């Protein structure tokens, strides 16, 4: 079985007694819908309707095929698919089979995929021939050289039947005896961490803990059979998968409508065409939707509920949602590591517009701590630490990082600065982690800095966030170079190494030296202040 840091026995007992952990694998909710309402639409993607029965059948076919190839409980898989129905079918298949996937983002490239593969040593790769890395088998061969274990590869869009994902999804097969999900208290899959370290870390999520967060999210967000949910952000992201996300919609028997991007015009069209009732967006996309609504009119009427989270959401913009977009707002402050907070549907307006809500569970233990580790009173800012029934207890095989991210009581430090209001809701006011939140996409500064330092002509580098009207934040690299370099050279250097585009610095600033802190590290606070000053109206910087 896959190694992970478990919850202490006493806590596990409490979580079971209180009905949070019910011993149910993540595939069970969908399977229940498939037998209760087989004909109901589970997924609509590019005009194709996939019923619950079809979803379950295709997943069973794939699971049976993979089982025949010797895959099963305790194995791992690296999956990279775009926003298509196959993403969920594959996920369901792997849950049935007991294989734990990492679902990489479609924007991820060699660096990210190699790192994930190196960490989980997958036996199976499922990817898309239309992705730039998988047009031929060169990158697969590279991965196989790194991971001798990697014996199976299936591709969306492969012309050869034996390697075609679609082929194995549609070939009727019965599950062999013995095929079963992993026990509910073990790892179901790995979620991706936004990270603040040199390599992207993985978060083991168990069936028990994830299923609980999904069931409660369904209740808190009022998801029902009638819900038609627009998935217009990357499907693997925790927000779109479980808060309440597609798994929440499947649990309730609703329909997921898939979009390639949150682009307002195509989304408004999908809302009209498929009577979408609920959508989930990051704040930067809300900005685009409001702009589009101002020029072309509000999104079509079926949309009545918008969830917004993933990055800081300005109160002024939050207040515009009901008028401009004609729907209710629910704020979400969550993290792939676990804790998810929601404003509630019956909260007063003030709470909905000015806070990011409160935790899912009465047993989410939240501490807000000052720099010396003592709790701060309500209304004052401190670092968020949390433990609870669906917050993980350790990154996968990362003891050093875990020693820094957890305290002795098992509380996870998310790196967020928050305040708690008298009513018990949280406001996210900043962060201490070395991360850039670029329109909800998280960039670990250290990862990009390490890659830039591989350039022979770079002496020192510091990546810091700079304010941006559209995305909230963009990234700026301050570079001390040995010779004359240009931004374009460094972008080419990074692209050549193979990182996701969203991690490429938006701006480079070449400087003679970096300001240093008392301990001799680049003083990022000062660098950020320089950028913020430069962004002020009237500044010339
Ligand atoms: C979600 O998950 P991640 O893992 O991509 O990022 C988590 C981090 C948080 O620690 C916080 O720094 C930031 O994203 N964040 C927010 C926020 N929601 C997330 N910052 C300010 N306001 C918010 N509402 O981003 C995520 C996971 C599940 C549900 C929603 C978002």
């Amino acid at each position: 079985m896959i190694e992970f840091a478990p919850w202490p026995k006493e806590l596990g007992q409490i979580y079971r007694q209180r009905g949070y952990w019910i011993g149910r694998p993540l595939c069970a909710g969908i399977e229940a819908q498939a037998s209760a309402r087989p004909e109901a639409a589970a997924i609509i993607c590019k005009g194709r309707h996939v019923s619950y029965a079809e979803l379950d059948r295709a997943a069973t076919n794939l699971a049976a095929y993979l089982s025949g190839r010797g895959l099963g409980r305790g194995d791992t898989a690296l999956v990279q698919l775009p926003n298509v129905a196959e993403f969920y079918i594959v996920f369901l298949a792997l849950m049935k089979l007991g294989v734990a996937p990492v679902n990489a983002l479609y924007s991820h490239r060699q660096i990210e995929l190699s790192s994930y593969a190196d960490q989980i040593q997958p036996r199976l790769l499922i990817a898309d021939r239309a992705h730039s890395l998988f047009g031929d088998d060169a990158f697969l061969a590279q991965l196989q050289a790194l991971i001798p274990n990697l014996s199976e590869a299936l591709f969306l869009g492969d012309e050869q039947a034996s390697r075609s994902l679609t082929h194995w999804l549609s070939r009727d097969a019965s599950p062999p005896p013995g095929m079963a999900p992993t026990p509910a208290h073990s790892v179901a899959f790995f979620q991706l961490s936004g990270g603040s370290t040199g390599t992207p870390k993985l978060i083991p999520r168990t069936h028990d803990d994830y299923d609980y967060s999904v069931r409660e999210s369904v209740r808190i967000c009022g998801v029902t059979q009638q819900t038609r949910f627009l998935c217009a952000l990357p499907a693997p992201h925790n927000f779109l998968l479980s808060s309440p996300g597609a798994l929440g919609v499947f649990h309730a028997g609703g329909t997921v409508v898939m979009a390639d991007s949150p682009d307002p015009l195509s989304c408004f069209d999908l809302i009209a065409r498929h009577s979408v009732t609920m959508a989930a967006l990051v704040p930067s996309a809300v900005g685009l939707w409001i702009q589009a609504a101002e020029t072309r009119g509000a999104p079509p009427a079926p949309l009545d509920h918008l969830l917004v989270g993933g990055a800081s959401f300005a109160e002024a913009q939050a207040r515009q949602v009901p008028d401009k977009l004609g729907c209710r707002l629910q704020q979400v402050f969550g993290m792939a590591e676990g804790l998810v907070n929601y404003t509630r549907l019956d909260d007063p307006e003030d709470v909905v517009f000015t806070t990011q809500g409160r935790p899912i569970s009465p047993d989410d233990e939240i501490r807000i701590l000052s720099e010396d580790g003592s709790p701060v009173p309500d209304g004052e800012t401190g670092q968020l630490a949390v433990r609870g029934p669906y917050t993980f207890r350790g990154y996968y095989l990362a003891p050093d990082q875990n020693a820094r991210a957890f305290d002795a009581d098992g509380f996870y430090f998310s790196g967020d600065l928050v305040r708690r209001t008298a009513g018990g809701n949280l406001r996210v006011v900043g962060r201490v982690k070395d991360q850039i939140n670029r329109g909800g996409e998280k960039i670990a500064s250290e990862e990009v800095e390490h890659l830039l330092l591989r350039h022979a002509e770079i002496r020192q580098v510091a990546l810091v966030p700079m304010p941006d009207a559209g995305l909230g934040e963009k990234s700026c690299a301050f570079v001390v170079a040995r010779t004359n370099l240009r931004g374009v050279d460094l972008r080419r250097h990074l692209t050549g190494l193979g990182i996701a585009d969203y991690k490429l610095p938006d701006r480079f600033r070449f400087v003679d030296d970096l300001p240093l802190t008392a301990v001799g590290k680049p003083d990022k606070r000062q660098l950020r202040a320089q950028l913020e000053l430069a962004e002020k109206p009237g500044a010339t910087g």
Side-chain angles (χ1 to χ4, degrees):
M1 284 298 136
I2 294 162
E3 217 179 287
F4 76 108
W7 285 257
K9 278 215 167 62
E10 317 78 72
L11 281 179
Q13 256 165 15
I14 293 175
Y15 298 157
R16 283 194 186 88
Q17 271 163 13
R18 301 201 173 151
Y20 307 153
W21 294 358
I22 59 173
R24 195 174 85 133
L26 277 180
C27 47
I30 307 178
E31 289 169 349
Q33 292 296 342
S35 47
R37 298 171 57 247
E39 300 312 322
I43 307 165
I44 299 176
C45 181
K46 300 200 174 32
R48 168 182 167 212
H49 286 54
V50 181
S51 69
Y52 276 94
E54 285 162 347
L55 167 61
D56 194 50
R57 164 84 351 235
T60 301
N61 292 344
L62 178 64
Y65 165 68
L66 292 171
S67 175
R69 301 289 299 174
L71 271 95
R73 280 180 169 199
D75 285 327
T76 59
L78 179 61
V79 177
Q80 186 189 45
L81 292 172
N83 277 19
V84 290
E86 285 80 358
F87 173 78
Y88 302 119
I89 306 176
V90 166
F91 187 76
L92 178 59
L94 298 179
M95 292 306 104
K96 285 174 184 281
L97 193 56
V99 170
V102 167
N103 298 309
L105 301 181
Y106 202 68
S107 52
H108 284 153
R109 300 185 57 230
Q110 293 98 311
I111 294 269
E112 291 88 6
L113 296 186
S114 310
S115 168
Y116 296 142
D118 185 41
Q119 292 177 65
I120 63 162
Q121 299 284 311
R123 283 199 55 197
L124 168 69
L125 170 79
I126 295 186
D128 180 11
R129 283 288 181 213
H131 189 280
S132 62
L133 283 178
F134 297 106
D136 61 29
D137 281 343
F139 183 57
L140 172 63
Q142 257 182 51
L143 283 177
Q144 281 173 322
L146 183 75
I147 322 287
N149 228 7
L150 181 55
S151 55
E152 305 295 322
L154 294 178
F155 294 97
L156 196 63
D158 204 298
E159 281 163 12
Q160 206 182 315
S162 64
R163 301 175 88 193
S164 155
L165 177 63
T166 321
H167 174 78
W168 295 112
L169 293 177
S170 55
R171 227 177 106 108
D172 276 345
S174 332
M179 189 186 94
T182 41
H185 59 267
S186 57
V187 178
F189 77 110
F190 297 91
Q191 194 43 281
L192 309 175
S193 150
S196 55
T197 59
T199 43
K201 297 282 177 292
L202 292 169
I203 303 160
R205 300 294 305 253
T206 64
H207 296 274
D208 268 335
D209 89 73
Y210 212 65
D211 185 59
Y212 170 56
S213 77
V214 169
R215 291 191 327 265
E216 280 306 286
S217 296
V218 165
R219 199 179 53 75
I220 292 168
C221 304
V223 185
T224 68
Q225 275 178 13
Q226 276 70 47
T227 299
R228 291 198 147 201
F229 175 82
L230 183 71
C231 177
L233 297 169
H237 192 270
N238 209 51
F239 186 16
L240 283 301
L241 193 59
S242 66
S243 315
L247 295 186
V249 174
F250 296 148
H251 174 80
T255 307
V256 175
V257 177
M258 305 190 80
D260 291 330
S261 85
D263 164 63
L265 296 187
S266 53
C267 286
F268 290 8
D269 186 46
L270 286 171
I271 294 169
R273 194 178 303 205
H274 302 298
S275 303
V276 167
T277 60
M278 187 188 283
L281 292 180
V282 288
S284 52
V286 178
L288 297 177
W289 280 36
I290 289 177
Q291 260 177 24
E294 282 169 346
T295 50
R296 296 170 180 251
L303 184 74
D304 84 334
H305 183 169
L306 182 65
L307 289 129
V308 179
S312 170
F313 193 31
E315 180 191 331
Q317 207 167 41
R319 289 190 182 275
Q320 290 186 310
V321 167
D323 276 355
K324 299 267 161 109
L325 300 180
C327 56
R328 291 179 290 171
L329 169 68
Q330 186 169 27
Q331 294 213 39
V332 195
F333 161 44
M335 53 202 70
E337 284 81 357
L339 179 70
V340 181
N341 304 274
Y342 294 103
T343 56
R344 304 305 200 257
L345 295 173
D346 55 359
D347 275 345
E349 279 194 351
D350 210 41
V351 169
V352 173
F353 294 139
T354 67
T355 82
Q356 281 67 55
R358 50 196 179 276
I360 285 181
S361 174
D363 279 291
D364 282 324
E365 300 173 74
I366 303 278
R367 288 182 179 164
I368 303 176
L369 303 167
S370 65
E371 269 177 37
D372 67 11
S374 57
V376 301
D378 279 356
E380 284 184 26
T381 301
Q383 269 206 59
L384 174 70
V386 56
R387 76 179 179 188
Y390 60 99
T391 296
F392 84 140
R393 306 286 298 206
Y395 292 104
Y396 188 54
L397 307 180
D400 294 346
Q401 174 63 9
N402 290 335
R404 284 192 295 271
F406 290 83
D407 71 9
D409 298 331
F411 278 75
Y412 164 64
F413 283 67
S414 76
D416 293 302
L417 289 173
V418 300
R419 265 180 227 150
R420 187 167 25 210
T421 65
N425 289 291
L426 299 179
R427 267 194 201 125
V428 188
V429 295
R431 83 180 81 96
V432 292
K433 56 189 162 189
D434 196 5
Q435 187 185 73
I436 292 150
N437 190 332
R438 191 179 186 278
E441 293 188 301
K442 315 302 184 318
I443 303 165
S445 299
E446 193 179 273
E447 186 187 12
V448 180
E449 288 162 1
H450 284 178
L451 296 174
L452 281 169
L453 284 169
R454 288 208 214 158
H455 192 294
E457 299 304 323
I458 292 186
R459 212 191 290 272
Q460 279 178 306
V461 61
L463 193 78
V464 290
M466 61 180 176
D468 180 75
L471 290 173
E473 290 174 13
K474 281 186 172 176
S475 65
C476 176
F478 284 84
V479 179
V480 182
R482 295 194 165 81
T483 50
N484 251 344
L485 286 175
R486 293 168 313 161
V488 57
D489 303 322
L490 297 184
R491 286 172 78 80
R492 201 173 300 134
H493 162 75
L494 289 173
T495 315
L497 291 173
I499 62 165
D501 276 354
Y502 68 86
K503 295 180 185 172
L504 293 173
D506 292 287
R507 189 188 293 171
F508 289 92
R509 281 213 172 176
F510 295 94
V511 290
D512 293 334
D513 46 38
L514 296 176
L516 298 178
T517 63
V519 293
K521 288 204 215 165
D523 187 345
K524 292 196 170 179
R525 209 177 281 192
Q526 204 173 317
L527 294 172
R528 287 174 70 156
Q530 278 182 25
L531 289 170
E532 275 157 31
L533 209 64
E535 293 302 314
K536 288 245 163 72
T540 51

